[in-house]
């Protein structure tokens, strides 16, 4: 169980002056911080890498709680200026945290195939209870009565309803695809849940992620569809008056030929406003400016008076502070997509409606507001930025160090670059804009490398290096070539070779997440039967998809050429993590593996008639277990 690792630290908040520089040098030398930070290194990381990714503030604004994904720790921080006063270790990656309304209990989701929700006494750090949850639990949201807790099980695609008094889960409500953020309305009547990815085949319209709304009384779920092209949802919050829900995401013009990035031609960085009572989209607000975009919006929080909205931009290392009333009001149409509007009189000049505040650290993700102070977890810098909202600083914000400055490994630097929109022309997008978490956005793109008019489904980075060639038509010999062409032709950036090779290292380091279909890490009986079928001559699947990577690394004609296609032969994809990469095939025309086999008659060349319904289901279960 969790225990206290260290009770005090000596790192003061950093100011942009020589004193801070000196303090940092001392920290690096370990003289001040070294002994006080018994931080274990995450696998493959330089010592001290923490990765703060979730944040909460006590009701009195005096204490911050920061979850660090990489060091698997939760820190108590004296707000507003530091220092860290306590640090505990948790059993798995702390993916989210929240406080009970009275501030007495801290709830931490620890993400794993079988996640744990820890209920911790906020004053003593004693673990009061430990409640099992689903695959990759995150974003715990507590009802105002303090009794009901809702937790997103990202890879089970559902939301656990937990009775905190009983200390147990009482129900699961189905979300749509990868729920990653949730909030309860102030009256406790509904939970709004952001689904990370669209769940549509790519000949459908619209193609977009949805927000799931759970009626807490009936536990029935409905969905609010976001505008066509919406994906990569990250943050969600409810306005204090309970009228609006705000959700951050990207909006892609994925049907256009991506010849340039300007004016949101490819990806726009937006915030959608939902009407809680009417359960509909009010506005999708563009957060970019014409010549300086604001890539990869992530966290969103409201000020207590409901007047301002604070959005972190993970790709451009800044926060936006928006006028909430303006965001829900009449917008000016000046974006590529008719669905997206600008805040009025946003002519590229700073206006009273919206401020952009540069942050001192890299990779801002979670945000929390206490009074007129905004706190932002800076994922790559192991710091919390402190922004005074009443007098937004011109030269960046203050910072609280969670430990010594991280010594980035080459891999970590690659991860930062992969998520960094500031290396893209005009900051419109990062690699992660289409490859969130190093995976895929569930969209098709008509990249120019294989001609125009033949869109391809975005590929996950998993096993990209060990399974050459790259791209559906194999037009890049290696993943390394794809990385370099991505920088030049998709981000429109010339970057030094050291950066490309750091990105290579990050991509190489990605490890498959265990499938949600596994039972205690093993194949279910159905998947076992499917495994036998997969390897048998009756199906012949393993001829082209031999273990261990489930690809023969060759190009085959499997009859998948569509009316837009130029060629018949496609690279055989690895099937590891196929549970995560719908829609399927180079053109994303099949939403499920079963559709691929039955409607698409994939791989079976007529033999599917010989398979019973049960056998087909077993085969599918095996593929989804890889
Ligand atoms: C606009 C969306 C988009 C962006 C931004 C993007 N990619 Fe891709 N990426 C794709 C698509 C689509 C494919 C699949 C193309 C195909 O199959 O022809 C792909 C394929 C790849 C592959 C090949 C994977 C394999 O196994 O075949 C690699 C590697 C890759 N991208 C790396 C990157 C890197 C690195 C960046 C940032 C420099 C990046 N991508 C930015 C859309 C994008
Ligand atoms: C003749 C070689 C061959 C055989 C046999 C074969 N596959 Fe495939 N498989 C491919 C190729 C090539 C693709 C990619 C086609 C495309 O993108 O249009 C593919 C794609 C897939 C995909 C989609 C993966 C993704 O991420 O889009 C799945 C799932 C799959 N195969 C499962 C199977 C199963 C199950 C069987 C046995 C019933 C099977 N395959 C038999 C060559 C084969």
């Amino acid at each position: 169980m969790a225990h206290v690792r260290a009770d005090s630290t000596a790192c003061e908040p950093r100011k942009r002056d020589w004193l801070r520089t000196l303090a940092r040098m001392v920290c690096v030398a370990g003289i001040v911080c070294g002994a006080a930070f018994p931080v274990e290194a995450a696998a493959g990381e330089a010592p001290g890498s923490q990765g703060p990714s979730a944040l909460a503030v006590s009701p009195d604004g005096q204490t911050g709680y920061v979850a660090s994904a990489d060091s698997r720790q939760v820190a108590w921080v004296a707000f507003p200026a530091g220092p860290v006063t306590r640090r505990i270790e948790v059993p798995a990656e702390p993916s989210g945290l929240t406080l009970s309304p009275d501030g007495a209990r801290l709830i931490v989701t620890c993400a794993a195939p079988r996640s744990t929700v820890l209920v911790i006494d906020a004053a003593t750090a004693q673990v009061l209870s430990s409640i099992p949850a689903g695959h990759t639990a995150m974003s715990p949201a507590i009802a105002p009565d303090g009794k009901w807790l809702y937790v997103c099980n990202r890879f089970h695609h559902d939301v656990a309803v937990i009775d905190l008094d009983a200390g147990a889960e009482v129900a699961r409500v189905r979300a749509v695809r990868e729920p990653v953020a949730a909030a309860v309305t102030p009256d406790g009547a509904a939970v709004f849940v952001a689904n990370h990815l669209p769940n549509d085949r790519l000949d459908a319209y619209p193609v977009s992620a949805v927000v799931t709304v759970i009626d807490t009384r009936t536990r029935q779920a409905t969905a609010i569809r976001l505008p066509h092209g919406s994906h990569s949802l990250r943050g969600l919050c409810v306005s204090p008056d309970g009228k609006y829900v705000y959700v951050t995401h990207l909006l892609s013009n994925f049907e256009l030929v991506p010849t340039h990035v300007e004016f949101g031609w490819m990806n726009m960085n937006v915030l959608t406003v939902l009407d809680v009572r009417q359960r509909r989209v009010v506005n999708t607000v563009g957060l970019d400016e014409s010549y300086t975009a604001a890539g990869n919006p992530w966290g969103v929080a409201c000020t207590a008076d409901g007047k301002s909205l604070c959005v972190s931009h993970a790709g451009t290392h800044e926060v936006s502070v928006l006028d909430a009333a303006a965001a829900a009001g009449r917008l000016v149409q000046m974006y590529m997509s008719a669905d997206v509007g600008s805040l009025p009189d946003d002519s590229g000049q700073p206006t009273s409606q919206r401020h952009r505040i540069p942050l001192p650290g890299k990779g801002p993700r979670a945000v929390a507001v206490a009074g007129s102070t905004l706190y932002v977890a800076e994922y790559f810098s192991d710091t919390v930025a402190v922004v005074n909202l009443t007098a937004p600083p011109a030269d960046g914000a203050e910072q609280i160090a969670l430990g010594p400055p991280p010594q980035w490994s080459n891999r970590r630097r690659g991860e930062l670059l992969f998520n960094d929109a500031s290396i893209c022309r005009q900051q419109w997008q990062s690699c992660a804009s289409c490859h969130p978490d190093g995976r895929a956005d569930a969209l098709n793109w008509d990249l120019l490398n294989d001609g125009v008019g033949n869109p391809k489904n975005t590929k996950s980075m998993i096993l990209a290096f060990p399974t050459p060639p790259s791209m559906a038509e194999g037009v890049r010999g290696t993943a390394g070539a794809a990385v370099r062409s991505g920088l030049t032709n998709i981000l429109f950036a010339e970057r030094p070779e050291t950066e490309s090779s750091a990105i290579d290292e990050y991509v190489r380091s990605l490890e498959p997440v265990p499938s949600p279909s596994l039972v205690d890490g093993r194949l279910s009986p159905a998947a076992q039967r499917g495994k036998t079928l997969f390897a048998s001559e009756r199906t012949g699947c393993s001829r082209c998809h031999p273990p261990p990577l489930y690809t023969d690394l060759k190009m085959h004609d499997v009859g998948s050429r569509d009316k837009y296609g130029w060629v018949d032969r496609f690279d055989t994809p690895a099937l590891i993590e196929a549970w995560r990469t719908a829609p399927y095939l180079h053109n994303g025309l099949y939403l499920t593996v079963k559709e691929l086999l039955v409607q698409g008659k994939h791989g079976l060349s007529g033999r599917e008639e010989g398979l019973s319904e049960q056998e087909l289901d077993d085969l599918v279960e095996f593929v989804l277990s890889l």
Side-chain angles (χ1 to χ4, degrees), residues 266 431 434-435 456 458-459 461 464 470-472 482 486-487 490:
M266 293 173 75
C431 305
C434 300
H435 299 289
K456 297 290 182 318
T458 304
K459 281 179 168 279
M461 301 287 96
S470 275
M471 309 304 192
L487 283 165
I490 308 183

Side-chain angles (χ1 to χ4, degrees), residues 161-486:
V161 182
I162 292 171
D163 178 342
L164 283 174
D165 296 340
E169 176 179 327
V170 295
R172 286 271 175 109
V173 182
R174 189 95 196 135
V176 175
R177 185 169 182 187
E178 297 192 23
V180 290
V184 188
T185 53
D187 60 4
V191 189
F192 281 71
V193 182
N195 290 282
H196 185 55
L197 291 178
N199 195 36
D200 298 303
R201 35 187 294 166
L202 286 164
D203 54 355
Y205 182 91
V207 170
S208 62
V210 302
V211 170
T212 295
V213 187
I214 301 172
D215 179 320
T216 54
R217 201 175 46 80
T218 62
R219 293 183 190 143
Q220 295 295 309
T222 50
I224 306 175
R225 207 178 245 286
L226 300 187
H228 182 58
S230 297
H231 69 101
S232 293
L233 280 61
R234 288 290 184 186
L236 179 147
C237 73
V238 191
S239 62
D241 64 8
K243 284 194 179 147
Y244 298 109
V245 159
Y246 308 102
V247 53
T248 57
H249 59 101
L250 308 188
L251 193 139
S252 295
N253 294 304
F254 63 96
E255 283 119 335
L256 301 178
V257 181
T259 48
H260 57 280
V261 277
E262 287 84 347
F263 298 105
W265 186 264
M266 293 173 75
N267 274 307
M268 287 177 279
N269 303 288
V270 304
L271 169 99
T272 287
V273 184
L274 304 172
D275 185 305
V276 167
R277 201 172 50 80
Q278 298 177 17
R279 308 268 155 104
R280 66 172 181 89
V281 172
V282 178
N283 276 332
T284 292
V285 185
L287 300 171
D288 303 302
E289 289 175 279
S290 305
Y291 302 101
T292 322
N296 305 93
W298 196 293
V300 57
C302 259
T303 51
D305 61 9
K307 288 197 172 137
S308 301
L309 288 170
C310 307
V311 177
S312 64
H313 295 275
T316 50
H317 323 296
E318 62 186 332
V319 284
S320 290
V321 181
L322 288 76
D323 183 300
R330 221 183 128 88
L331 303 184
V332 180
Q333 289 304 319
M334 57 174 283
Y335 277 90
M336 272 301 305
S337 162
D339 290 321
V340 181
S342 275
L343 290 181
D345 66 273
D346 180 357
S347 57
Q349 301 301 314
T351 70
S352 57
Q353 321 264 24
R354 189 267 176 99
H355 295 284
R356 294 174 74 165
I357 303 170
L359 294 177
K362 297 282 187 196
R365 294 187 177 180
V367 292
V369 181
S372 57
T373 309
L374 168 67
Y375 297 95
V376 191
E378 297 174 314
Y379 181 72
F380 291 106
S381 302
D382 297 346
T383 43
V384 174
V386 184
V387 181
N388 179 349
L389 291 171
T390 46
D395 66 336
E398 301 285 298
Q399 262 183 327
I400 302 171
L402 296 170
Q407 310 287 302
W408 287 326
S409 63
N410 205 35
R411 188 208 77 88
R412 187 66 156 181
R413 198 176 295 280
E415 183 183 2
L416 166 57
L417 288 161
F418 194 88
N419 285 279
D420 197 347
S422 71
I423 64 173
C424 175
R425 179 169 167 77
Q426 296 180 356
Q427 309 197 131
W428 286 95
Q429 60 193 6
S430 62
C431 305
S433 296
C434 300
H435 299 289
D437 304 309
R439 270 53 175 208
D441 56 8
L443 298 176
N444 279 352
W445 290 94
D446 193 5
L447 302 181
L448 298 169
N449 53 25
D450 55 7
V452 173
N454 51 354
K456 297 290 182 318
N457 194 223
T458 304
K459 281 179 168 279
S460 166
M461 301 287 96
I462 278 289
L463 300 171
F465 273 89
T467 61
S470 275
M471 309 304 192
E473 291 185 20
V475 293
R476 302 284 176 220
T478 61
V483 166
R484 282 147 189 82
S485 67

Side-chain angles (χ1 to χ4, degrees), residues 540-541 544-545 558 560 570 572-573 575 581 584-586 596 602-604:
C541 306
C544 303
H545 297 285
V558 288
S560 60
F570 295 94
T572 307
L575 300 182
T581 55
Y584 297 105
L585 294 195
H586 71 278
L596 171 67
H602 174 73
L604 293 162

